[in-house]
mmCIF file of all heavy atoms in Angstrom:
data_model
loop_
_atom_site.group_PDB
_atom_site.id
_atom_site.type_symbol
_atom_site.label_atom_id
_atom_site.label_comp_id
_atom_site.label_asym_id
_atom_site.label_seq_id
_atom_site.Cartn_x
_atom_site.Cartn_y
_atom_site.Cartn_z
ATOM 1 N N PHE A 25 121.899 108.289 90.603
ATOM 2 C CA PHE A 25 121.204 107.071 90.178
ATOM 3 C C PHE A 25 119.691 107.325 90.008
ATOM 4 O O PHE A 25 119.123 106.920 88.967
ATOM 5 C CB PHE A 25 121.367 105.932 91.230
ATOM 6 C CG PHE A 25 120.513 104.772 91.013
ATOM 7 C CD1 PHE A 25 120.667 103.909 90.069
ATOM 8 C CD2 PHE A 25 119.321 104.651 91.836
ATOM 9 C CE1 PHE A 25 119.794 102.730 89.868
ATOM 10 C CE2 PHE A 25 118.447 103.633 91.638
ATOM 11 C CZ PHE A 25 118.733 102.646 90.699
ATOM 12 N N LEU A 27 118.292 110.111 89.354
ATOM 13 C CA LEU A 27 117.993 110.980 88.176
ATOM 14 C C LEU A 27 118.099 110.257 86.883
ATOM 15 O O LEU A 27 117.206 110.322 86.009
ATOM 16 C CB LEU A 27 119.100 112.127 88.154
ATOM 17 C CG LEU A 27 119.021 113.075 86.862
ATOM 18 C CD1 LEU A 27 117.728 113.802 86.910
ATOM 19 C CD2 LEU A 27 120.224 114.039 86.976
ATOM 20 N N ALA A 57 125.910 95.174 76.093
ATOM 21 C CA ALA A 57 126.860 94.125 76.455
ATOM 22 C C ALA A 57 128.180 94.276 75.638
ATOM 23 O O ALA A 57 129.300 94.145 76.130
ATOM 24 C CB ALA A 57 126.303 92.731 76.212
ATOM 25 N N SER A 101 103.690 98.925 77.327
ATOM 26 C CA SER A 101 103.339 98.708 75.851
ATOM 27 C C SER A 101 101.870 98.388 75.630
ATOM 28 O O SER A 101 101.337 98.647 74.604
ATOM 29 C CB SER A 101 104.318 97.686 75.265
ATOM 30 O OG SER A 101 103.909 96.395 75.649
ATOM 31 N N LEU A 144 106.508 104.687 100.734
ATOM 32 C CA LEU A 144 105.501 104.036 99.928
ATOM 33 C C LEU A 144 104.259 104.976 99.963
ATOM 34 O O LEU A 144 103.578 105.121 98.852
ATOM 35 C CB LEU A 144 105.131 102.652 100.537
ATOM 36 C CG LEU A 144 104.099 101.893 99.801
ATOM 37 C CD1 LEU A 144 104.603 101.603 98.357
ATOM 38 C CD2 LEU A 144 103.768 100.578 100.530
ATOM 39 N N ALA A 145 103.896 105.570 101.098
ATOM 40 C CA ALA A 145 102.764 106.504 101.132
ATOM 41 C C ALA A 145 103.042 107.748 100.277
ATOM 42 O O ALA A 145 102.126 108.182 99.549
ATOM 43 C CB ALA A 145 102.553 106.895 102.556
ATOM 44 N N GLY A 152 98.942 109.131 92.629
ATOM 45 C CA GLY A 152 97.583 108.931 92.857
ATOM 46 C C GLY A 152 96.620 109.692 91.931
ATOM 47 O O GLY A 152 95.675 109.137 91.415
ATOM 48 N N PRO A 153 96.816 111.058 91.878
ATOM 49 C CA PRO A 153 95.915 111.817 90.960
ATOM 50 C C PRO A 153 95.865 111.302 89.469
ATOM 51 O O PRO A 153 94.882 111.257 88.864
ATOM 52 C CB PRO A 153 96.523 113.256 91.101
ATOM 53 C CG PRO A 153 97.098 113.231 92.323
ATOM 54 C CD PRO A 153 97.726 111.912 92.606
ATOM 55 N N ALA A 171 102.131 91.708 84.271
ATOM 56 C CA ALA A 171 103.544 91.841 83.815
ATOM 57 C C ALA A 171 104.328 92.711 84.759
ATOM 58 O O ALA A 171 105.540 92.494 85.082
ATOM 59 C CB ALA A 171 103.523 92.372 82.355
ATOM 60 N N LEU A 176 108.106 93.258 89.330
ATOM 61 C CA LEU A 176 108.406 93.501 90.680
ATOM 62 C C LEU A 176 109.096 92.307 91.345
ATOM 63 O O LEU A 176 110.089 92.513 92.072
ATOM 64 C CB LEU A 176 107.077 93.829 91.414
ATOM 65 C CG LEU A 176 107.117 93.776 92.902
ATOM 66 C CD1 LEU A 176 107.989 94.926 93.506
ATOM 67 C CD2 LEU A 176 105.707 93.902 93.473
ATOM 68 N N TYR A 185 119.650 88.565 95.107
ATOM 69 C CA TYR A 185 120.626 87.699 94.637
ATOM 70 C C TYR A 185 121.995 88.377 94.374
ATOM 71 O O TYR A 185 123.114 87.893 94.703
ATOM 72 C CB TYR A 185 120.150 87.048 93.276
ATOM 73 C CG TYR A 185 120.920 85.900 92.875
ATOM 74 C CD1 TYR A 185 120.461 84.623 93.079
ATOM 75 C CD2 TYR A 185 122.086 86.005 92.104
ATOM 76 C CE1 TYR A 185 121.150 83.507 92.786
ATOM 77 C CE2 TYR A 185 122.857 84.872 91.743
ATOM 78 C CZ TYR A 185 122.371 83.586 92.038
ATOM 79 O OH TYR A 185 123.079 82.521 91.639
ATOM 80 N N SER A 207 119.740 89.536 77.290
ATOM 81 C CA SER A 207 119.430 89.689 75.909
ATOM 82 C C SER A 207 119.063 88.407 75.222
ATOM 83 O O SER A 207 118.067 88.370 74.364
ATOM 84 C CB SER A 207 120.676 90.391 75.146
ATOM 85 O OG SER A 207 120.300 90.579 73.784
ATOM 86 N N SER A 221 110.223 93.548 64.415
ATOM 87 C CA SER A 221 110.567 94.749 63.551
ATOM 88 C C SER A 221 110.754 95.980 64.330
ATOM 89 O O SER A 221 110.188 96.138 65.345
ATOM 90 C CB SER A 221 109.377 94.981 62.541
ATOM 91 O OG SER A 221 108.222 95.331 63.173
ATOM 92 N N ALA A 231 115.907 107.885 71.800
ATOM 93 C CA ALA A 231 115.574 107.106 73.062
ATOM 94 C C ALA A 231 116.484 105.891 73.218
ATOM 95 O O ALA A 231 116.913 105.593 74.363
ATOM 96 C CB ALA A 231 114.098 106.571 72.911
ATOM 97 N N VAL A 233 119.671 105.379 72.159
ATOM 98 C CA VAL A 233 120.942 105.835 72.597
ATOM 99 C C VAL A 233 120.993 106.229 74.031
ATOM 100 O O VAL A 233 121.821 105.846 74.835
ATOM 101 C CB VAL A 233 121.560 106.940 71.653
ATOM 102 C CG1 VAL A 233 122.796 107.526 72.233
ATOM 103 C CG2 VAL A 233 121.749 106.434 70.248
ATOM 104 N N ALA A 271 107.740 112.370 87.599
ATOM 105 C CA ALA A 271 106.675 113.393 87.672
ATOM 106 C C ALA A 271 107.226 114.798 87.303
ATOM 107 O O ALA A 271 106.684 115.585 86.488
ATOM 108 C CB ALA A 271 105.978 113.401 88.969
ATOM 109 N N LEU A 276 108.514 119.142 83.263
ATOM 110 C CA LEU A 276 109.467 120.029 82.470
ATOM 111 C C LEU A 276 109.482 119.670 80.957
ATOM 112 O O LEU A 276 109.552 120.561 80.168
ATOM 113 C CB LEU A 276 110.818 119.800 83.088
ATOM 114 C CG LEU A 276 111.064 120.208 84.520
ATOM 115 C CD1 LEU A 276 112.419 119.871 85.024
ATOM 116 C CD2 LEU A 276 110.824 121.717 84.666
ATOM 117 N N SER A 283 99.996 118.318 90.706
ATOM 118 C CA SER A 283 98.948 118.820 91.767
ATOM 119 C C SER A 283 99.621 119.079 93.067
ATOM 120 O O SER A 283 100.778 118.668 93.340
ATOM 121 C CB SER A 283 97.813 117.714 91.950
ATOM 122 O OG SER A 283 98.392 116.576 92.591
#
Side-chain angles (χ1 to χ4, degrees):
F25 168 75
L27 177 62
S101 73
L144 184 60
L176 165 65
Y185 195 97
S207 179
S221 64
V233 171
L276 295 175
S283 68

